Amino acid sequence: MSRLTGWLYTLRALVRRNAADHEMAEEIAFHIDRQARKHESHGLSREEARELAMQEFGGATRWREEARRARGSGLVDTIEQDARETARALRRDPAFALMAIVTLALALGANAAMFGIIDRLLLRGPEHVAAPQQLARIYVTRRTRGGQVATLGWQPYVLYTSARDHARAFSTVAAYVSDRLRVGSGTEARFIPATYASSDLFSLAQVHPALGRFYTAREDRPPAGAQVAVLGYRFWQGEFGGDSSIVGRIVTLSSRAYRVVGVAPQGFTGIERSPVDVWLPMSDWPLDHHVPSDWPTNWRGTQTSIVGRLAVPRQVAEAELTALVRHAYVGNDRSMRSARVSLRSISYNMTGVEPPELRVARLLAGVALVMLLVAAANVTNLTLARAVRRRREISVRVALGAGRWHVVRLMVLESVTIALLGGLLGLVLAHWGGALIRRTLLPNVAWSAMPVDGRVLLWTAMAAVLTGIIVGLIPALRVIRGDVSAALHGSRTSSGSGIDSHGPTRAALQVVQFALSLVLLFAAGLFVKSLYDIRHLDLGYDSDRVLAVDISFPPPDSSSEDAAARSAVAAHARYEDLRARFARLPGVASASIAFGSPLSGVDILRVRVPGRDSLPPGAGGIAIVTAAAPGYFETVGTRMLHGRTFSTDDAFGTEPVVIVNQTMAKALWPGDDAIGRCIMLGRLHGGPCTRVVGVAQDVHHVALKEDALNQVYVPWGQDRHFIAGSVLLVRSNDDDATALVPELTGLLRHAAPDMQSVEIKTFEQLLDPQVRPWRVGATLFTLFGAIVVVVAAIGLFSVVSYLVTQRTHELGVRIALGARRAHVLRLIMGSGLRTAIVGAVVGGAAAIAIGPLVQPLLFDNRARDPWMLAAVATGLLVVAAAASLWPSWRATRVDPLISLRAE
């Protein structure tokens, strides 16, 4: 028989074991019958001949077992038998099985959900981008005029062309900038995410179109390329129903016509992970944003993100690009002569640091791993207690000939089965919970895959098997060391088996659980405190009652100076009319107009003080400017500290006046009154002096966490530069300002029918992307911490209950000898509380040690807050006392006569 035939026969025997056994039985019977007939022919009776034939054959059972081993059925039989024993063991103890499965399901589900997020963000990179670890973003670090060192990822387009044409650092380099484009008009208009990118971005990613083609370098030739577009797959499906004839058609985006040349593959978002609905040539971006015509060669022109695929080691590339920037720069900024180029991961933001959402996601992944450790320790403890209850069964197995390693195998198989069932349930939780975490933590990421994919499934299976092996192996190795004879002759509550030596192991596992629980609760408390501080932070304005109404009107006529002036006057009148209409609406407390209000954009002016050659270092020589109409400070809730606000008398052509913030007043005139002082503001007014008429409180203009900046307020409408692009501000009488949105939208539909678009958001909604990391961190840390504490409490309850059961005889003797029930209560509760106290001490030390890792994620809080640590430790000890109370009280109810008779 050939080797292949033998393999096929073995495979058939494994697949059809019953048929193979039947064939073997028939063959054995045939040989015995033939030998019996031979003996009958020599004169023996039929019974004697058959008995002699069977003796000569040597026993049918032995040959059947030999045949089964030869064809490999023995292993399958062993696995099948072990599986049956495992199922019977779990059915005999459903409470233990259910508790262990649910405990591991929570931990494995959290790990599966977080692994899916980390895998998508850090391990795989942007979808359809080949070898993302080879990509790097260009950052330039230089010293600003204020003396500070700044690192930025926004670079001029000319740096991209210089790196593309002259640097050997990259095999491919591309530039892009994210934007939004308008689809439709009026109140029905909406904005879609768009990316202006150089044509080599697609070759950089090594991606292929789903339909048509990508635009070429010829179509992306500055200063004005072709008006072509590549649609995102999602936009193509949603807006055009996946129509394959879209290639060659014209689409209108922000009032401009583009010819569609292709469709990007599903899930492709370029270098970023945010959804992109349309791709346009980089050369088209300046045309939409009124950039000067020399932008391709101007080092102060278009600001883009530049990404390249490294062709040399990172340090070599950084040195080459640094030399390139210093040599090629043309301009008056001296800091560029000493600028330094650094290359960093594409996952970093434009300031060269990792986004807080990503840091929170990584920390939550660590929390999920801690949850798994706590759950594994809990189930290990339960398994140890269960092994004590099964000591007679295990000893009988060993006494009847079962090998000790056979017992170990069965116990490990039980735990692996429990872990796999927990992993299966955990995947269900991960499918739901993972989608929820994605939406709350990273809503701007394009999640194209399901929360549970093949990689998450494989990760969960591996984690479940490894957890099951560890959970089962520790108790099993302890069990096989017990004295079989003592276990067989011992009583139900005796410790003769030696399994009571597991006490230190159980205590150590409990210490680990409580220590890790304290660390998680401490981190959750810090995040909750950060979120509380954010909610109560004095931003300098009211974030919940103020609505920002951003209206886009048709572009003004700028063909001549007179036409621009007429357009400015018309726009001024239109804004004032809308403001007056808004103010008359029911539920509106006040309304105003502003250019450069908080969270809506930044415009900067240079500041000089007449008679002073230089300003103090704190003044810096620049200031954020906001053009504010009358009623602005009352509407947004910014307090005036001194002087007056603007009035209708501060109009075009009147005396230039200005309001400064408190920081600027202290920097320019320390210890003196700023009212009546004179300053000169960059390009404004052209006169020698702008008089200060008021001092306002500091506001957080751009971010929750920002240093106090110089800020000036100028009257809205006093300079035409600040009219186009203004925002209407509405203050609500109620806490829920969003209730006014339908009325405002309806009014605009009739009062401004020619508007191109409108967006209405509260300041709170504009702040939400910055608040989200702390809110999500507080929510998920609290949730995970609560789960871990419940698991630890259940574990402590189970262990104390086990101790009561084990010490029933001892407790009965104590009570019979006169021990008070209060003494018994202290005795039992003391064992649980001692474990919790040790765990709290260990956890406190661990929390202090990891403080520097958590500190960057907190908002103006110390990661080593002693009061928070004390509060969490106290709460954890209260939970431990509650978990120990019921079994301890039960211990006081032990009847000495019943317990002694049982012995």
Side-chain angles (χ1 to χ4, degrees), residues 299-384:
W299 281 82
R300 298 186 62 184
T302 308
Q303 298 297 303
T304 67
S305 176
I306 304 175
V307 176
R309 187 174 294 277
L310 288 169
V312 298
R314 186 181 298 269
Q315 294 80 2
V316 176
E318 289 177 342
E320 181 187 16
L321 292 171
T322 297
L324 176 67
V325 167
R326 295 177 180 179
H327 176 74
Y329 173 73
V330 177
N332 299 322
D333 191 346
R334 297 179 182 177
S335 65
M336 291 296 291
R337 302 298 180 187
S338 58
R340 179 174 52 84
V341 171
S342 59
L343 300 176
R344 304 185 185 181
S345 169
I346 58 174
S347 62
Y348 283 33
N349 60 21
M350 288 303 168
T351 59
V353 298
E354 193 175 55
E357 295 89 349
L358 199 56
R359 285 182 286 172
V360 171
R362 184 183 286 108
L363 191 59
L364 287 173
V367 169
L369 184 60
V370 170
M371 284 185 62
L372 184 57
L373 293 176
V374 173
N378 179 271
V379 177
T380 302
N381 244 335
L382 294 176
T383 306
L384 276 170

Side-chain angles (χ1 to χ4, degrees), residues 208-227:
H208 302 284
L211 188 68
R213 63 176 178 84
F214 296 127
Y215 49 82
T216 64
R218 183 182 297 274
E219 293 167 321
D220 182 32
R221 182 174 297 172
Q227 288 185 228

Side-chain angles (χ1 to χ4, degrees), residues 215-253:
Y215 49 82
T216 64
R218 183 182 297 274
E219 293 167 321
D220 182 32
R221 182 174 297 172
Q227 288 185 228
V228 294
V230 174
L231 302 183
Y233 193 93
R234 183 187 66 169
F235 184 64
W236 173 53
Q237 290 286 332
E239 191 75 10
F240 303 99
D243 186 1
S244 59
S245 64
I246 188 65
V247 176
R249 288 166 55 180
I250 302 299
V251 296
T252 301
L253 305 169

Side-chain angles (χ1 to χ4, degrees), residues 550-834:
D550 190 0
I551 306 173
S552 176
F553 292 110
D557 183 4
S558 57
S559 57
S560 64
E561 187 175 343
D562 290 340
R566 288 193 299 270
S567 296
V569 172
H572 185 280
R574 166 168 280 188
Y575 276 110
E576 282 288 359
D577 176 66
L578 290 175
R579 184 204 61 78
R581 290 172 181 262
F582 286 169
R584 291 194 294 267
L585 287 175
V588 173
S590 62
S592 187
I593 313 167
F595 179 95
S597 61
L599 308 172
S600 65
V602 175
D603 198 0
I604 296 176
L605 291 176
R606 297 198 179 279
V607 178
R608 290 196 305 114
V609 176
R612 297 169 67 176
D613 295 332
S614 62
L615 299 180
I622 59 173
I624 295 175
V625 60
T626 297
Y632 169 83
F633 296 96
E634 296 85 350
T635 300
V636 300
T638 300
R639 300 192 310 274
M640 290 294 299
L641 303 180
H642 304 289
R644 68 173 178 88
T645 62
F646 297 133
S647 67
T648 55
D649 294 334
D650 300 313
F652 181 75
T654 62
E655 177 194 11
V657 293
V658 66
I659 295 173
V660 299
N661 69 338
Q662 187 177 14
T663 293
M664 189 169 179
K666 289 183 178 179
L668 293 181
W669 305 284
D672 294 332
D673 189 2
I675 305 300
R677 299 284 185 165
C678 174
I679 61 175
M680 300 180 67
L681 301 176
R683 61 184 181 274
L684 295 186
H685 312 307
C689 181
T690 302
R691 184 168 57 90
V692 177
V693 296
V695 177
Q697 73 173 120
D698 293 337
V699 303
H700 292 250
H701 193 90
V702 177
L704 290 171
K705 299 181 72 171
E706 65 179 21
D707 297 329
L709 304 172
N710 296 327
Q711 186 168 7
V712 297
Y713 299 87
V714 298
W716 182 83
Q718 197 171 59
D719 191 284
R720 294 168 182 167
H721 175 79
F722 298 122
I723 295 180
S726 295
V727 175
L728 286 154
L729 301 169
V730 177
R731 183 180 184 85
S732 172
N733 284 319
D734 300 325
D735 292 336
D736 184 15
T738 56
L740 291 173
V741 173
E743 294 186 51
L744 296 175
T745 303
L747 188 153
L748 288 172
R749 189 177 292 113
H750 297 287
D754 63 332
M755 67 178 177
Q756 295 178 331
S757 65
V758 59
E759 287 188 289
I760 305 177
K761 293 183 178 180
T762 64
F763 278 5
E764 192 169 28
Q765 290 171 326
L766 295 174
L767 274 172
D768 185 70
Q770 300 184 46
V771 178
R772 187 183 303 121
W774 286 287
R775 184 176 62 248
V776 174
T779 302
L780 293 182
F781 262 101
T782 302
L783 176 62
F784 290 172
I787 293 173
V788 167
V789 168
V790 170
V791 169
I794 292 174
L796 181 62
F797 175 86
S798 302
V799 170
V800 175
S801 297
Y802 156 75
L803 290 175
V804 171
T805 302
Q806 287 298 106
R807 301 175 66 178
T808 299
H809 176 67
E810 173 198 341
L811 295 175
V813 171
R814 287 177 179 270
I815 294 175
L817 294 177
R820 298 180 181 178
R821 298 189 183 276
H823 173 75
V824 175
L825 183 67
R826 288 197 304 270
L827 178 68
I828 301 301
M829 284 195 66
S831 62
L833 287 178
R834 281 193 298 272

Side-chain angles (χ1 to χ4, degrees), residues 78-199:
T78 301
I79 294 175
E80 183 178 358
Q81 182 181 0
D82 289 349
R84 288 198 183 102
E85 292 189 23
T86 298
R88 285 196 297 267
L90 295 181
R91 281 200 302 268
R92 286 197 303 267
D93 201 348
F96 162 78
L98 180 61
M99 183 179 295
I101 289 172
V102 172
T103 299
L104 290 178
L106 292 173
L108 290 170
N111 274 270
M114 296 312 303
F115 174 79
I117 293 176
I118 295 299
D119 180 49
R120 176 70 174 84
L121 297 181
L122 296 179
L123 303 182
R124 286 194 288 183
E127 197 162 346
H128 295 287
V129 176
Q133 68 278 3
Q134 298 177 0
L135 302 182
R137 195 190 311 275
I138 292 181
Y139 293 86
V140 174
T141 301
R142 60 190 183 91
R143 189 173 296 277
T144 64
R145 291 179 181 271
Q148 298 178 339
V149 176
T151 298
L152 291 177
W154 295 112
Q155 311 303 335
Y157 183 83
V158 64
L159 178 55
Y160 153 69
T161 56
S162 299
R164 180 194 62 190
D165 299 336
H166 304 294
R168 297 175 299 173
F170 300 123
S171 59
T172 311
V173 62
Y176 69 93
V177 59
S178 300
D179 204 348
R180 298 190 310 157
L181 296 179
R182 175 174 45 83
V183 176
S185 61
T187 56
E188 306 302 323
R190 70 183 193 280
F191 290 88
I192 62 173
T195 295
Y196 293 88
S198 60
S199 59

Side-chain angles (χ1 to χ4, degrees), residues 453-524:
D453 57 13
R455 291 165 65 97
V456 173
L457 184 62
L458 179 61
W459 163 265
T460 306
M462 293 172 56
V465 171
L466 181 61
T467 302
I469 291 174
I470 295 174
V471 166
L473 195 59
I474 294 175
L477 292 177
R478 303 284 294 180
V479 164
I480 62 174
R481 299 175 185 173
D483 187 344
V484 175
S485 177
L488 290 174
H489 291 87
S491 67
R492 181 177 64 88
T493 59
S494 70
S495 56
S497 65
I499 301 179
D500 272 356
S501 62
H502 300 347
T505 303
R506 289 193 304 270
L509 291 172
Q510 280 294 317
V511 168
V512 169
Q513 291 184 67
F514 276 97
L516 295 177
S517 300
L518 186 139
V519 171
L520 290 190
L521 286 180
F522 180 61

